[in-house]
């Protein structure tokens, strides 16, 4: 069964001024669309054809570069669109807020750790907030389109928040100022959605 490019639940210009409309349009309709098409081509007529994207990534042969790059790209961007909102920002509460306070000391300390992981990921990649089976959370970064569901990658939990730090995610608006893009990202994080994913992942 072929994967489909997910529709956004908001307009391309909805995240402005934090993420500009042109970047969103190219990122979704070109980059994510490309990963989706290439993933479908890579899994056609293989046993992965019947699996969910989570099953594919968890059971991945890391030498299978076509599925590693494009399956990661499909999953990572789907999560990325899902955890952003024009009504985003603020801080998490409930069980996730408690887990973040427990792991990092405070929300501000979490923000510092997440921003540092995103800013110091050399070259292309992602920074993540992951949940583990015991409910604890941690932050890590991965290269290219890898993600923590893949065997032996990153912090090994289930990602519930991620930021794309490939240049295609920010260069039109921020050029080389990745830290400014990371700071702006906090204004569009949909913490209600991240809390839902935390609850599902525990
Ligand atoms: Mn991207």
């Amino acid at each position: 069964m072929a994967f489909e490019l997910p529709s956004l639940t908001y307009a391309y210009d909805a995240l402005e001024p934090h993420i500009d409309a042109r970047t969103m349009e190219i990122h979704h309709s070109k980059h994510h669309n490309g990963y989706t098409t290439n993933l479908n081509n890579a899994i056609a007529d293989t046993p992965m054809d019947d699996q969910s994207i989570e099953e594919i990534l968890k059971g991945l042969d890391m030498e299978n570069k076509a599925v590693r790059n494009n399956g990661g790209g499909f999953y990572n961007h789907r999560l990325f669109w899902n955890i952003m909102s024009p009504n985003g920002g603020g801080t998490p509460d409930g069980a996730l807020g408690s887990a973040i306070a427990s792991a990092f000391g405070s929300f501000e300390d979490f923000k510092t750790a997440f921003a540092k992981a995103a800013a110091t990921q050399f070259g292309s990649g992602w920074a993540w907030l992951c949940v583990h089976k015991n409910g604890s959370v941690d932050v890590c970064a991965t290269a290219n389109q890898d993600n923590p569901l893949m065997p032996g990658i990153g912090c090994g939990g289930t990602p519930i928040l991620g930021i794309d730090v490939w240049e295609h995610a920010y260069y039109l608006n921020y050029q080389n100022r990745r830290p400014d893009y990371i700071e702006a990202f906090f204004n569009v994080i949909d913490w209600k959605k991240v809390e839902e994913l935390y609850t599902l992942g525990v």
Side-chain angles (χ1 to χ4, degrees):
M1 196 180 71
F3 292 101
E4 289 183 14
L5 179 69
S7 300
L8 301 189
T9 58
Y10 42 82
Y12 286 135
D13 64 1
L15 304 181
E16 290 197 349
H18 309 295
I19 302 181
D20 66 281
R22 185 79 176 126
T23 295
M24 286 295 297
E25 180 178 3
I26 297 170
H27 204 173
H28 177 255
S29 70
K30 305 294 185 193
H31 290 276
H32 197 188
N33 194 46
Y35 294 124
T36 306
T37 300
N38 292 334
L39 171 63
N40 286 330
N41 290 337
I43 64 172
D45 303 319
T46 78
M48 289 179 279
D49 208 11
D50 292 327
Q51 294 182 321
S52 69
I53 188 61
E54 290 83 0
E55 289 170 332
I56 290 172
L57 298 185
K58 288 177 181 175
L60 185 63
D61 169 6
M62 297 297 277
E63 297 302 314
N64 186 338
K65 295 294 170 56
V67 177
R68 181 175 176 177
N69 292 334
N70 295 293
F74 173 78
Y75 175 96
N76 295 346
H77 290 86
R78 190 182 63 175
L79 176 66
F80 188 53
W81 313 135
N82 197 24
I83 53 84
M84 294 193 290
S85 162
N87 304 310
T91 59
D93 42 39
L96 175 58
S98 300
I100 285 176
S102 173
F104 299 97
S106 69
F107 178 78
E108 282 306 312
D109 289 326
F110 152 72
K111 185 178 172 183
T112 300
F114 184 85
K116 182 181 179 190
T120 59
Q121 169 59 39
F122 183 74
S124 297
W126 294 73
W128 308 102
L129 176 66
C130 290
V131 59
H132 296 270
K133 288 287 179 204
N134 64 2
S136 67
V137 292
D138 56 8
V139 159
C140 61
T142 56
N144 301 316
Q145 296 297 352
D146 287 349
N147 82 51
L149 293 182
M150 294 176 179
I153 291 292
C155 35
T158 300
I160 58 175
L161 173 71
I163 182 171
D164 188 343
V165 295
W166 285 58
E167 286 188 342
H168 69 226
Y170 63 87
Y171 208 85
L172 289 181
N173 196 33
Y174 295 95
Q175 295 81 50
N176 63 325
R177 292 176 283 114
R178 189 193 286 186
D180 291 353
Y181 157 67
I182 296 165
E183 179 67 29
F185 172 70
F186 277 87
N187 295 313
V188 295
I189 297 174
D190 184 346
W191 285 111
K192 284 277 167 273
K193 193 61 66 65
V194 182
E195 286 168 27
E196 286 174 24
L197 294 174
Y198 174 82
T199 304
L200 289 171
V202 170

